[in-house]
């Protein structure tokens, strides 16, 4: 569920086919995204889940984003 | 009682370096050819910057003194009437003497108390805040506040991701004691937990006894974790502007211009979107000067003033953010 939402956000921001985005996708290298592109993706993720990501540079792979969202949602619960 | 800005001035190096010229240099250094090469479009798309000023030998104190001299002549103020000089910079000539004292020597403001402030791109706001406390309390009657940088000496010219961003320049304001307070509100802050994400001018703790490697040329260079800095900038710029306005019961409609630190057009675009306001409300000149750190806000303020776009009673917001990490947002009635 979380992965699917994150995948859709990335796909919308980067025009990459969602089928090509997996948990192992490297956010910077595979998406060919610069710092502000990544910020915009992470900002969309924050808005989607109503969370605040304080250390965006800890997110290297899509799976890192999924784990971080899970953890932040659990902390809030 | 408070302080009021009575003059602005700037000192910019004459040499303008276009993206094309800079791209050629970067491509040569890195052996980039064809589609891999850096050109105007590559830089402009990522930053909104088209050119920047670069010194041909002047150092930070020279630019700072030039800006100070201009506020003196524009306001008809004698140098000996200045009680306080504060210079914000992250690229001073020396660790000591401080830039304030060097400006004092160049302009002959012999009575002034002089010191420097290091708060990177927020530095001018921090300096103006401190000067306002001196002048507002009556400890000083007239003060010169300067933001001055020669970032080109702290730039890794082989790093295409950072070297395209920075420029050199200085600008100043002269403030004097006033019965009314022109600074209506301010929010200054620091987030030291992220101090490592934006650095320059590292001094290793090398001495004759410990074998630590002495300072190398590259230790001076500006290093940045772009994602962390952009994230901080967009969030903090947005929230601090709204926080300062909320405290005064004002909205963005009450503000004529927001003068942000000129780091990157995409940051300004993202903040405008977050605040739900027109981008036109943000004064932007980074296309011509790049990121001049502590100098960028007073350079922009001076342009607005020179162009006659500020009228008495206008409310404007100055908003800096940068290394430290630090932020400083100030609401001013002109």
């Amino acid at each position: 569920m979380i992965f699917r939402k994150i995948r859709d956000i990335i796909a919308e921001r980067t025009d990459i086919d969602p089928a090509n985005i997996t948990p192992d996708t490297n956010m910077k290298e595979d998406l060919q995204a610069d710092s502000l592109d990544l910020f915009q993706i992470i900002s969309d993720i924050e808005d989607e889940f109503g969370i605040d990501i304080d250390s965006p540079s800890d997110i290297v792979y899509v799976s890192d984003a999924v784990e971080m969202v899970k953890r932040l949602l659990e902390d809030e619960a | 009682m408070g302080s009021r800005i009575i003059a602005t001035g700037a000192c910019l190096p004459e040499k303008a370096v276009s993206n094309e010229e800079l791209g050629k240099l970067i491509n040569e250094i890195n052996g980039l050819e064809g589609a891999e090469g850096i050109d105007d479009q590559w830089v402009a798309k990522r930053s909104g910057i088209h050119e920047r000023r670069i010194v041909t030998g002047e150092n930070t104190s020279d630019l700072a003194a030039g800006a100070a001299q201009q506020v003196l002549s524009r306001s008809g103020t004698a140098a000996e009437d200045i009680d306080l000089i504060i210079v914000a910079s992250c690229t001073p000539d020396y660790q000591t003497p401080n830039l304030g004292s060097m400006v004092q020597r160049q302009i002959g403001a012999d009575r002034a108390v002089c010191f420097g402030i290091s708060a990177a791109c927020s530095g001018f706001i921090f300096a103006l805040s401190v000067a306002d406390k001196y002048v507002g309390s009556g400890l000083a009657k007239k003060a010169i506040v300067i933001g001055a940088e020669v970032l080109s000496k702290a730039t890794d010219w082989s790093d295409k991701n950072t070297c395209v961003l920075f420029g050199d320049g200085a600008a100043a304001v002269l403030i004097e004691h006033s019965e009314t307070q022109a600074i209506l509100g301010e929010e200054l802050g620091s987030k030291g937990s992220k101090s490592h994400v934006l650095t320059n001018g590292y001094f290793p703790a090398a001495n004759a006894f410990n074998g630590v490697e002495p300072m190398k040329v590259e230790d001076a260079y500006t290093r940045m974790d772009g994602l962390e800095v952009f994230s901080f900038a967009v969030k903090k710029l947005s929230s601090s502007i709204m926080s300062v306005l909320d405290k005064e019961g004002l909205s963005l409609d009450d503000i004529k211009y927001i003068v942000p630190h000129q780091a990157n057009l995409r940051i300004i675009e993202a903040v405008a979107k977050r605040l739900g306001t027109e981008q036109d409300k943000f004064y932007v000149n980074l296309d011509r000067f790049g990121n001049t750190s502590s100098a960028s806000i007073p350079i922009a303020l001076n342009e607005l003033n020179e162009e006659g776009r500020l009228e008495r009673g206008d409310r404007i917001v100055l908003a800096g953010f940068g290394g430290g990490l630090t932020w400083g947002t100030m609401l001013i009635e002109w």
Side-chain angles (χ1 to χ4, degrees):
Chain A
M1 179 71 171
I2 292 174
F3 167 72
R4 278 207 303 274
K5 281 186 177 173
I6 290 175
R7 182 193 62 191
D8 293 346
I9 287 169
I10 294 170
E12 197 175 324
R13 279 280 178 193
T14 59
D15 290 333
I16 292 174
D17 186 340
N20 293 331
I21 299 168
T22 73
D24 295 332
T25 300
N26 184 304
M27 299 277 282
K28 198 166 184 179
E29 288 165 17
D30 297 337
L31 304 180
Q32 294 192 323
D34 70 10
S35 300
L36 262 175
D37 296 329
L38 284 179
F39 168 71
Q40 279 160 340
I41 290 169
I42 290 169
S43 186
D44 288 350
I45 293 171
E46 289 178 320
D47 290 345
E48 173 68 32
F49 295 99
I51 54 173
D52 181 39
I53 295 173
D54 190 49
S55 292
S57 58
D58 289 348
I59 298 173
V60 178
Y61 297 96
V62 170
S63 57
D64 296 330
V66 174
E67 288 307 314
M68 193 174 281
V69 170
K70 269 186 197 165
R71 197 171 63 246
L72 288 169
L73 289 175
E74 279 168 14
D75 289 349
E76 272 185 4
Chain B
M1 287 196 296
S3 69
R4 184 166 290 280
I5 295 172
I6 60 164
T8 64
C11 181
L12 292 153
E14 282 185 17
K15 184 177 173 60
V17 176
S18 68
N19 287 346
E20 286 297 341
E21 190 180 346
L22 181 53
K24 276 181 197 164
L25 175 75
I26 298 167
N27 296 341
E28 202 177 296
I29 291 172
N30 292 288
L32 301 175
E33 287 176 356
E36 276 197 322
I38 305 301
D39 58 13
D40 177 58
Q41 205 188 355
W42 189 92
V43 181
K45 189 181 160 202
R46 283 163 177 75
S47 64
I49 296 164
H50 289 280
E51 66 175 31
R52 71 287 294 147
R53 301 296 179 92
I54 299 288
V55 294
T56 51
E58 319 91 289
N59 212 329
T60 313
S61 62
D62 303 311
L63 300 180
Q69 199 65 60
Q70 194 167 59
V71 292
L72 288 178
S73 61
R74 283 180 172 175
S75 62
T77 304
E80 55 266 30
D81 289 339
I82 299 299
D83 304 303
L84 173 69
I85 300 172
I86 308 178
V87 185
S89 182
C90 58
T91 52
D93 300 23
Y94 297 98
Q95 294 298 308
T96 192
N98 74 82
L99 281 170
S101 296
M102 295 184 79
V103 169
Q104 178 183 38
R105 186 173 72 167
Q106 287 204 40
I107 67 171
D110 296 336
R111 289 182 46 254
V113 175
C114 305
F115 55 92
I117 278 186
S118 171
C121 308
S122 313
F124 178 77
I125 302 297
F126 278 47
L128 187 54
S129 175
V130 173
D132 170 63
K133 308 303 175 287
Y134 267 80
V135 173
S137 69
L139 269 173
K141 283 186 180 155
K142 292 177 190 286
I144 296 177
V145 181
I146 307 168
E149 304 287 359
V150 174
L151 289 160
S152 59
K153 67 185 177 186
T155 294
D156 180 355
W157 292 101
S158 68
D159 179 2
K160 65 182 183 188
N161 292 313
T162 56
C163 82
V164 299
L165 302 174
F166 301 116
D168 303 333
V173 297
L174 175 57
I175 67 170
E176 68 175 20
H177 188 73
S178 164
E179 289 307 310
T180 56
Q181 175 60 291
I183 297 176
L184 305 179
E186 64 179 34
E187 180 184 291
L188 274 58
S190 308
K191 191 175 184 179
S193 61
K194 297 281 183 182
S195 56
H196 57 287
V197 305
L198 179 52
T199 61
N200 85 350
Y202 175 62
F203 267 81
N207 61 42
F209 305 96
N210 64 13
V212 172
E213 198 176 344
M215 188 178 183
K216 301 183 292 294
V217 173
E218 51 268 35
D219 287 329
Y221 295 156
T222 301
R223 305 284 184 206
M224 178 169 75
D225 180 332
L227 178 56
E228 290 279 354
V229 174
F230 289 143
S231 176
F232 166 78
V234 173
K235 289 179 182 177
K236 191 49 78 178
L237 198 50
S238 310
S239 65
S240 70
I241 289 170
M242 290 320 297
S243 165
V244 167
L245 293 182
D246 285 348
K247 277 182 203 152
E248 297 305 312
L250 298 172
S251 75
L252 286 166
D253 292 338
D254 300 309
I255 303 303
K256 189 166 183 183
Y257 293 111
I258 297 168
V259 184
H261 166 49
Q262 309 281 315
N264 189 312
L265 186 61
R266 291 165 70 195
I267 291 176
I268 295 170
E269 286 170 348
V271 172
K273 193 177 167 194
R274 233 167 220 248
L275 296 181
T277 189
E278 298 294 317
Q279 204 182 305
D280 291 354
K281 199 174 274 289
F282 290 79
Y283 186 75
V284 174
N285 66 4
L286 59 85
D287 52 323
R288 288 171 288 128
F289 302 118
N291 178 347
T292 56
S293 190
S294 69
S296 84
I297 291 173
I299 289 172
L301 186 64
N302 178 60
E303 275 199 343
L304 278 171
N305 195 25
E306 277 183 342
E307 291 168 9
R309 293 163 75 170
L310 297 174
E311 290 170 29
R312 187 61 72 194
D314 282 346
R315 293 192 188 105
I316 59 171
V317 170
L318 312 180
F321 53 88
L325 296 171
T326 55
W327 71 95
T329 298
M330 202 172 255
L331 170 63
I332 290 180
E333 188 173 86
W334 194 251

